[in-house]
Amino acid sequence: MSKQVQDAYIVSATRLPIGKSGRGYFKNTRPDEMLVKVMQAALAQAPGLDPAAIEDAIVGCSFPEGEQGMNIARVASVLAGLGNTIGGVTVNRYCASGITAVQMAADRIRVGEADVMFAGGVESMSMIPMGGNKPSLSPLIFEKDENIGIAYGMGLTAEKVAAQWKISREAQDAFSVESHRRAVAAMQAGHFAAEITPFDVVERTPNLADPTSGSVNVKTRIVSLDEGARPDTSLEGLAKLKPVFAAKGSVTAGNSSQTSDGSGGLLIVSEAALKRYNLTPLARFVSFAVRGVPPEIMGIGPIEAIPAALKAAGISAKDLDWVELNEAFAAQSLAVLNDLDSKGIELDRAKVNPNGGAIALGHPLGATGAIRAASVIHGLRRTGGKYGMVTMCVGAGQGAAGIFERL
């Protein structure tokens, strides 16, 4: 295991329910408001902790502009009432932004530079589209063939992975059906209750009964479950969907992750802070690894990151009791699992996304890593497992993996 000055402990981990982008829970909810709620909820789960003790808030966001721009980490920490003494920085590693924020916060503690940190992620795909409001690619990308993959859409990279790793349409659809089945079963069993903070969604509509008054009707509803899982998902239904990224491809809307809105956050502290504020640790941050891969097959990034994270943790794949493998696409998830199997790094399929994955639950990009960290921590605590991992592929050709130990 890599050397460090001290351990970093997670004392609270929570997230909002995930909403469908453009038409779901949070279509009119600002991302900074989502992040404020998560910050406040994380602090409420650590009674006794002085908010002023938080040195910095590190928040992941894939497209930090518009409503989620202006360094949303700092803005939200002030709006959440954490105090003016707390710093804030927004980080971007696309889909791994949230888990990178956790790693960066944990590392500040592990090297002895801080005692209390907030780490999280937020993304509104309703308000900020994939690629941002004004995507602009460097002409240099197109000067060399090996760089062109940077410009590929994520769906096309999934098609290339499906072709290279020979992942059939039937296998992708079957994987997707299982994601929905597990998600629905977990909801019915109440398995998400510990990790989700309910959110009061406020809906404002014009008073059509008296349009000249200029008055507005205000309606509030509480949402407490992810919005995307469908109990009626079937192989027959998915088979009817047409490919959306390549005319003769196999990647469809049904075997891809859902575009989503959401936020998640964790409080991470040192042993000294545990004692000073009488806090109960939920888990220990063990290791993190990131690796690069060719951009045009970015989906296989975890193939490189997972072995590195396991090595740094000093454990093997067999020691993992819970794995959150982000389902950007069924094609890349299956390619990762199959490739690792061939290398003797076998991940128990029953322990991979036990509560379903992004195909059913949604993928709010920069928030997902923090959201899935909360899932791993609470999943381990509910089942009594010891080690859990969050891993995902990353746009432009990366893979990331972080490992936690339940305490």
Side-chain angles (χ1 to χ4, degrees):
M1 184 177 177
S2 56
K3 294 181 180 179
Q4 60 190 51
V5 174
Q6 60 184 350
D7 282 315
Y9 300 95
I10 292 88
V11 295
S12 70
T14 192
R15 68 179 183 89
L16 301 185
I18 298 172
K20 296 179 180 178
S21 70
R23 62 191 189 283
Y25 294 152
F26 302 128
K27 64 180 180 181
N28 296 317
T29 301
R30 289 182 58 94
D32 44 16
E33 293 173 8
M34 292 192 288
L35 182 57
V36 164
K37 179 67 173 180
V38 161
M39 287 179 162
Q40 293 172 336
L43 188 61
Q45 292 178 10
L49 178 63
D50 181 0
I54 304 173
E55 178 175 321
D56 206 357
I58 304 178
V59 175
C61 184
S62 282
F63 296 100
E65 58 181 81
E67 290 87 346
Q68 56 197 29
M70 304 297 290
N71 190 6
I72 192 170
R74 169 61 179 172
V75 171
S77 66
V78 173
L79 296 179
L82 301 187
N84 292 329
T85 62
I86 299 166
V89 60
T90 305
V91 300
N92 180 11
R93 200 195 294 275
Y94 292 138
C95 300
S97 299
I99 192 64
T100 296
V102 174
Q103 166 253 316
M104 292 173 69
D107 282 355
R108 289 290 312 285
I109 290 166
R110 296 202 292 175
V111 300
E113 291 181 345
D115 284 313
V116 184
M117 300 282 290
F118 173 86
V122 67
E123 199 83 34
S124 172
M125 300 184 76
S126 291
M127 295 189 175
I128 308 299
M130 178 75 77
N133 290 313
K134 187 184 176 183
S136 177
L137 296 172
S138 169
L140 295 176
I141 291 172
F142 305 97
E143 291 184 359
K144 295 182 178 180
D145 289 345
E146 61 264 32
N147 294 333
I148 293 177
I150 295 173
Y152 287 171
M154 297 298 99
L156 184 55
T157 69
E159 288 286 8
K160 289 188 173 293
V161 167
Q164 187 168 332
W165 273 264
K166 297 179 172 57
I167 308 298
S168 69
R169 166 70 182 271
E170 292 74 20
Q172 293 174 56
D173 287 351
F175 183 90
S176 302
V177 169
E178 179 63 7
S179 181
H180 283 274
R181 187 197 68 77
R182 291 186 182 192
V184 171
M187 288 181 184
Q188 293 174 343
H191 290 169
F192 291 111
E195 68 187 67
I196 290 181
T197 292
F199 189 91
D200 293 341
V201 176
V202 179
E203 299 173 342
R204 297 176 175 86
T205 56
N207 183 3
L208 299 180
D210 186 8
T212 60
S213 68
S215 61
V216 175
N217 295 323
V218 179
K219 179 181 178 182
T220 301
R221 59 173 175 151
I222 299 175
V223 297
S224 58
L225 281 176
D226 299 318
E227 196 173 18
R230 295 172 56 95
D232 60 346
T233 301
S234 67
L235 287 173
E236 294 76 17
L238 293 185
K240 295 177 183 178
L241 299 177
K242 295 181 179 180
V244 291
F245 303 107
K248 296 182 179 180
S250 59
V251 180
T252 71
N255 56 40
S256 305
S257 59
Q258 301 181 31
T259 57
S260 313
D261 308 324
S263 184
L266 303 85
L267 282 173
I268 309 175
V269 306
S270 66
E271 185 174 356
L274 284 178
K275 295 176 180 177
R276 185 180 308 130
Y277 300 105
N278 193 28
L279 301 170
T280 301
L282 304 178
R284 179 176 70 93
F285 187 81
V286 180
S287 71
F288 175 84
V290 61
R291 293 292 186 273
V293 297
E296 65 270 19
I297 49 172
M298 67 93 197
I300 55 89
I303 292 172
E304 305 298 332
I306 289 172
L310 289 170
K311 182 178 180 181
I315 62 174
S316 71
K318 294 179 180 179
D319 295 314
L320 293 170
D321 297 304
W322 193 291
V323 178
E324 289 289 335
L325 171 63
N326 188 47
E327 300 168 356
F329 302 92
Q332 61 82 208
S333 297
L334 287 166
V336 167
L337 292 169
N338 295 345
D339 191 280
L340 289 174
D341 282 350
S342 71
K343 296 173 179 174
I345 307 173
E346 299 179 12
L347 297 177
D348 185 339
R349 300 301 194 267
K351 297 177 181 178
V352 176
N353 301 345
N355 291 341
I359 288 172
L361 300 174
H363 177 25
L365 299 180
T368 295
I371 288 171
R372 297 281 74 95
S375 299
V376 160
I377 290 166
H378 289 289
L380 289 173
R381 291 180 66 78
R382 179 174 55 80
T383 60
K386 185 175 183 180
Y387 289 108
M389 179 172 64
V390 176
T391 184
M392 56 199 61
C393 59
V394 186
Q398 298 179 71
I403 294 176
F404 301 82
E405 178 188 11
R406 178 188 65 84
L407 298 176

